[in-house]
Amino acid sequence: EAGVTQFPSHSVIEKGQTVTLRCDPISGHDNLYWYRRVMGKEIKFLLHFVKESKQDESGMPNNRFLAERTGGTYSTLKVQPAELEDSGVYFCASTRGGRGGTQYFGPGTRLLVL
Amino acid sequence: ELKVEQNPLFLSMQEGKNYTIYCNYSTTSDRLYWYRQDPGKSLESLFVLLSNGAVKQEGRLMASLDTKARLSTLHITAAVHDLSATYFCAFSYNTDKLIFGTGTRLQVFP
């Protein structure tokens, strides 16, 4: 079974530009999560999808961040316009249906905003 | 505030030695997780601990949970170089979102 994949693996953009990150969860996993790790800090939760619906978006930092999961398969996380403090590693994770399953993580996208 | 304190942040240990990583969390938890991350790779699930007194072992790693003390430990026995990685603990509370510690970067040297 293929794991969670994320694209791109790295992105370097200038402040004010737009970046879109993509996550493909494990096939059949209804739950999809986004997390972020800013340099030297904890990994922090951003949001949780159940299929195509946002279950919890309490961790989204501000309205420059837009997450979508059309059709309940892959998800995108768009940052527009990007700011310097958005730099970090963005992780995606997925689980099958129901609460409490082990979250399987992707390798992350390393975003650097200059 | 939902918070996890993990220590030490960095751990350099000699092969063959034993050591423990500590994870204190701030509130009653549904579940306590340990993950391992190699540089540039995914977080790999090691253990999920569900109840007070739970102990799980896999190879040279053993994790335990004391819900009354809100403490989990990850014990490393007779470390080998392959265990070099960053180890994260995380807990969940009433929701699916994971609250992570800062991670412990472990380096095992000969």
Side-chain angles (χ1 to χ4, degrees):
Chain A
E1 164 177 87
V4 176
T5 57
Q6 293 186 244
F7 183 83
S9 59
H10 296 78
S11 181
V12 181
I13 61 172
E14 293 187 351
K15 176 182 169 180
Q17 290 186 320
T18 297
V19 62
T20 300
L21 314 180
R22 174 171 168 145
C23 168
D24 286 77
I26 293 171
S27 178
H29 281 196
D30 288 339
N31 295 282
L32 187 150
Y33 310 83
W34 284 98
Y35 293 85
R36 174 174 77 169
R37 188 181 194 197
V38 172
M39 176 93 70
K41 305 271 186 157
E42 305 89 350
I43 299 170
K44 292 211 165 175
F45 168 84
L46 296 177
L47 86 158
H48 170 203
F49 283 100
V50 178
K51 296 185 181 176
E52 67 274 10
S53 299
K54 291 176 185 172
Q55 179 77 14
D56 180 355
E57 52 185 326
S58 60
M60 293 288 265
N62 52 61
N63 60 8
R64 296 185 292 102
F65 288 75
L66 175 63
E68 295 181 322
R69 193 182 181 196
T70 307
T73 54
Y74 71 90
S75 174
T76 57
L77 180 65
K78 182 194 285 189
V79 185
Q80 179 182 29
E83 298 288 344
L84 300 180
E85 64 264 25
D86 300 332
S87 296
V89 183
Y90 290 77
F91 292 101
C92 175
S94 72
T95 67
R96 215 171 276 281
R99 267 211 67 214
T102 296
Q103 294 184 23
Y104 296 91
F105 281 77
T109 293
R110 281 143 192 82
L111 174 65
L112 178 60
V113 183
L114 301 175
Chain B
E1 182 190 359
L2 299 176
K3 193 178 171 182
V4 177
E5 288 186 0
Q6 192 174 335
N7 66 85
L9 297 183
F10 297 97
L11 178 54
S12 182
M13 55 189 298
Q14 195 170 18
E15 280 188 330
K17 299 291 187 184
N18 305 333
Y19 209 83
T20 301
I21 299 170
Y22 297 88
C23 175
N24 285 93
Y25 53 96
S26 59
T27 190
T28 305
S29 168
D30 288 334
R31 291 165 176 82
L32 193 293
Y33 301 82
W34 284 96
Y35 283 88
R36 166 184 172 146
Q37 186 188 26
D38 292 292
K41 301 292 179 71
S42 313
L43 277 73
E44 174 193 352
S45 176
L46 295 174
F47 303 107
V48 182
L49 303 169
L50 302 179
S51 59
N52 188 43
V55 176
K56 290 194 175 180
Q57 182 161 5
E58 181 74 33
R60 301 174 187 274
L61 300 178
M62 183 173 71
S64 66
L65 180 63
D66 180 344
T67 57
K68 292 179 183 176
R70 296 178 190 164
L71 171 69
S72 180
T73 60
L74 181 67
H75 186 73
I76 303 155
T77 301
V80 293
H81 179 71
D82 286 352
L83 290 179
S84 298
T86 299
Y87 293 85
F88 293 94
C89 68
F91 77 96
S92 63
Y93 172 66
N94 280 348
T95 70
D96 281 342
K97 71 180 179 188
L98 298 182
I99 312 296
F100 279 88
T102 49
T104 295
R105 187 170 171 187
L106 170 66
Q107 184 169 14
V108 181
F109 60 92

